[in-house]
């Protein structure tokens, strides 16, 4: 179980690398699509945005740049997974992933040709002309696709993940391999290239025989999720919030966003798999009159708790703080509330009441699940790239219009959610005397100053010395640099795989090192450091030369 946790943590961390590209790509796509829309230009007589103007050309460029990223997610995942899962020589793993990905699909395409399949005889129209029903033809045609211009099987992001995992395995296993003198040229990283060619060919060769069955199983699982309707949407929202405690949500939600588990839909004449990919394909298609709520059901619900609910919970915690601590509590709670509202980053608030009063976190998870269910039932379809704060709401809700998103329900229900969160949290805190920030027996803090990048009057040299000191202490708390097998970070967590978990310091030591909490599952260690997590990771890697 503990080893599985460490593996899932590592996979989730690997997913974050390609996913990190998507916010900017999504914003470019959203801006370009919104402001080149003929309906918007005609409605508001925005002649300076008309086709042929300089601004229009710039916006079309933005749109095309964003679309390029979403059209090539499989190879981005292949490279990102390879880098994230490799323990050393990550640049070699990345090159192996690119070569392996191209080889993988080329070999599949050749075998498909041997089997008699071509781009011409695998289209839905051709299959219908051969007597198949509409549904049968669409299902058969969905098995095939083009990847970087190569006719191949529709493996999508799953194929990218498989290629990335194999490349990481090859790099970890063979990049330090020493060969006999007469083959010495091929030792080390160059041997990775050799093994890539050797192993990817048989991997690709078996896919045409096993993938159709796997593909149908994944599609059936996606159909089952769709069939669960509102209840399934509630369970998804609730489960993702619970998994967030362990940081494992990063290993789960991409499967719904980028693969057939999140649904399959025809957009602009092409079959698109995955909820987020469907949303952005529809965003790029001017003929779409309303985005699919079925596609965004794993995304939209979070806007209510993140923009409205948690800020209200923060206000409730301020209201029940002891009088002498209100001013201190106000500052930190306001900062966390604004972070949640603007960006959708909620961990400063969530982990405050999670470890003070887990019951509050369960209530929050239930309310979030209900938000997912309600907005899905109301056909609200606001997609996201990064998180569910005002930034994404503006680009993918407000700018796209009510007719395409039904975003008005978020603004209508938002205040209702604020009221519910405020009174539920206030009632429970008072009734059970939970020690939230500013109340008797608690510290008036969410995160320490280092976690929020608060400015102070110390000179830059002093700040550098402080950073240097804390990363040395963090490494020591992890059992020393020799005990670190792998170190990375997501938005708020330092994620480490250690060799010997018994060498990791106790919770009191981590508290002294400004960590809000440390989560341990076997060799997988997560130290919650807020927005400083990625900074600390980079400093540690640089100072200790950790690859």
């Amino acid at each position: 179980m503990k080893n599985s946790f460490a593996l899932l943590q590592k996979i989730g961390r690997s997913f974050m690398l390609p996913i990190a590209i998507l916010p900017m790509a999504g914003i470019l796509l959203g801006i370009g699509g919104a402001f080149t829309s003929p309906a918007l230009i005609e409605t508001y007589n925005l002649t300076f945005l008309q086709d042929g103007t300089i601004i229009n050309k710039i916006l079309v460029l933005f749109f095309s740049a964003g679309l390029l990223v979403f059209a090539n997610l499989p190879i981005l995942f292949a490279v990102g997974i390879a880098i994230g899962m490799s323990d050393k020589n990550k640049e070699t793993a990345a090159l192996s992933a690119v070569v392996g990905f191209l080889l993988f699909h080329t070999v599949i395409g050749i075998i498909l040709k041997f089997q008699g399949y071509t781009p011409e005889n695998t289209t839905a129209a051709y299959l219908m002309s051969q007597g198949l029903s509409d549904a049968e033809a669409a299902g058969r045609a969905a098995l095939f696709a083009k990847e970087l211009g190569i006719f191949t099987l529709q493996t999508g992001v799953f194929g990218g993940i498989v290629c990335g995992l194999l490349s990481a395995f090859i790099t970890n296993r063979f990049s330090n391999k020493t060969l006999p003198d007469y083959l010495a040229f091929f030792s080390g990283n160059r041997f990775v290239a050799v093994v890539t060619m050797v192993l990817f060919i048989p991997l690709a060769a078996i896919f045409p025989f096993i993938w159709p069955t796997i593909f149908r199983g994944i599609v059936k699982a996606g159909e089952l999720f769709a069939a669960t309707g509102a209840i399934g949407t509630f369970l998804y929202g609730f489960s993702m919030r619970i998994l967030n405690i362990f940081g494992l949500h990063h290993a789960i939600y991409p499967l719904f966003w980028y693969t057939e588990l999140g649904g399959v839909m025809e957009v602009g004449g092409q079959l698109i798999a995955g909820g987020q990919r469907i949303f952005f394909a529809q965003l790029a298609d001017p003929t779409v009159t309303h985005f699919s709520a079925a596609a965004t059901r794993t995304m939209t619900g979070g806007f209510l708790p993140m923009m409205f609910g948690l800020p209200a919970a923060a206000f409730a915690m301020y209201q029940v703080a002891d009088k002498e601590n209100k001013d201190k509590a106000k500052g930190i709670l306001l900062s966390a509330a604004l972070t949640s509202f603007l960006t959708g980053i909620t961990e400063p608030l969530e982990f405050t009441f999670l470890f003070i009063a887990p019951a509050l976190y369960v209530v929050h998870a239930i309310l979030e699940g209900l938000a997912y269910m309600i907005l899905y039932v109301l056909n609200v379809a606001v997609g996201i790239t990064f998180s569910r704060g005002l930034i994404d709401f503006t680009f993918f809700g407000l700018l796209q219009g009510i007719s395409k998103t039904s975003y008005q329900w978020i603004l209508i229900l938002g205040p209702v959610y604020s009221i519910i969160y405020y009174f539920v949290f206030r009632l429970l805190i008072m009734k059970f005397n939970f020690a939230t920030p500013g109340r008797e027996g608690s510290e008036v803090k969410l995160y320490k100053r280092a976690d929020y990048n608060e400015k102070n009057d110390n000179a830059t040299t002093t700040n550098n010395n402080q950073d240097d000191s804390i990363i040395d202490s963090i490494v020591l708390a992890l059992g020393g640099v020799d005990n670190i097998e792998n170190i990375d970070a997501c938005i708020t967590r330092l994620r480490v795989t250690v060799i010997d978990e018994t060498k990791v310091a106790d919770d009191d030591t981590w508290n002294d090192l400004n960590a809000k909490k440390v989560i341990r599952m076997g060799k997988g260690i997560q130290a919650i450091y807020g927005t400083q997590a990625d900074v600390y990771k980079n400093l540690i890697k640089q100072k200790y030369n950790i690859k």
Side-chain angles (χ1 to χ4, degrees), residues 139-396:
R140 183 84 60 85
L143 271 171
F144 306 94
K146 281 193 174 182
E147 206 64 72
L148 299 178
I150 303 168
F151 176 65
T152 182
L153 289 171
Q154 177 68 273
T155 60
V157 169
F158 271 121
I161 292 172
V162 170
C163 291
L165 289 173
L166 181 55
S167 293
F169 168 78
I170 292 170
T171 304
N172 290 337
R173 180 70 177 81
F174 298 106
S175 63
N176 291 332
K177 183 73 172 177
T178 302
L179 298 177
D181 289 346
Y182 59 90
L183 293 174
F185 174 80
F186 296 104
S187 295
N189 287 336
R190 286 185 287 273
F191 192 54
V192 171
V194 174
V195 179
T196 296
M197 298 292 290
V198 170
L199 293 188
F200 267 90
I201 291 175
L203 171 70
I206 65 173
F207 250 69
F209 304 99
I210 66 171
W211 181 250
T213 302
I214 297 172
F215 180 81
R216 283 190 288 269
I218 295 170
V219 171
K220 289 293 183 184
E223 291 173 350
L224 178 62
F225 176 59
T228 60
I231 299 299
T233 307
F234 165 80
L235 292 174
Y236 176 89
F238 174 80
S239 300
M240 287 301 103
R241 192 47 49 197
I242 295 298
L243 287 173
N244 180 60
I245 297 173
F246 309 102
L248 296 183
H249 58 303
H250 291 307
I252 305 299
Y253 75 78
L255 301 179
F256 289 89
W257 286 14
Y258 308 121
T259 77
E260 285 77 8
L261 281 177
V264 178
M265 186 175 295
E266 183 177 334
V267 183
Q270 291 187 326
L271 286 173
I272 308 295
Q276 192 185 64
R277 296 185 72 194
I278 291 170
F279 173 78
F280 281 103
Q282 291 187 328
L283 188 67
D285 186 352
T287 66
V288 173
T289 56
H290 194 287
F291 301 136
S292 169
T296 63
R297 64 191 290 206
T298 58
M299 295 175 269
T300 305
F303 284 108
L304 291 181
M306 291 181 180
M307 287 179 61
F308 299 96
L310 287 174
F315 183 59
M317 286 189 271
Y318 163 72
Q319 288 275 292
V320 298
D322 296 338
K323 186 176 180 180
E324 63 272 19
N325 292 326
K326 276 187 178 291
D327 286 342
K328 293 181 180 178
K330 178 181 178 181
I332 61 170
L333 289 168
L334 176 62
S335 172
L338 284 174
T339 300
S340 178
F341 177 75
L342 293 173
T343 69
I345 296 175
T346 58
E347 289 190 349
L349 281 171
E350 289 176 328
F351 279 89
T352 294
F353 58 72
L354 171 63
F355 297 109
I356 291 171
L360 293 178
Y361 194 90
V362 174
V363 170
H364 166 51
I366 293 172
L367 289 171
E368 180 152 337
L370 288 172
Y372 274 80
M373 180 180 75
I374 292 168
L375 292 182
Y376 168 67
V377 169
L378 292 173
N379 199 35
V380 183
V382 179
I384 70 169
T385 56
F386 169 64
S387 194
R388 299 152 182 90
L390 181 63
I391 296 172
D392 272 4
F393 179 69
T394 299
F395 286 119
F396 307 116

Side-chain angles (χ1 to χ4, degrees), residues 6-16 81 85 165 251:
L7 178 61
L8 284 173
Q9 173 181 262
K10 194 172 183 180
I11 292 173
R13 183 176 63 237
S14 301
F15 281 157
M16 291 305 294
I81 293 291
M85 294 297 289
L165 289 173

Side-chain angles (χ1 to χ4, degrees), residues 70-138:
F70 287 96
N72 292 285
L73 282 179
I75 192 169
L76 295 178
F77 268 85
V79 175
I81 293 291
I83 293 172
M85 294 297 289
S86 59
D87 298 325
K88 52 195 172 185
N89 302 316
K90 293 180 180 292
E91 68 281 0
T92 303
L95 180 59
S96 171
V98 173
V99 174
F101 184 87
L102 293 171
L103 186 59
F104 177 74
H105 286 292
T106 298
V107 172
I108 289 176
I110 292 170
I111 292 177
L112 289 177
K113 183 179 179 180
F114 292 160
Q115 293 176 330
Y117 297 114
T118 68
E120 292 73 30
N121 66 19
T122 53
T123 64
Y126 177 85
L127 293 170
M128 288 170 60
S129 72
Q130 300 302 302
L132 272 66
S133 67
D134 291 1
E136 290 173 332

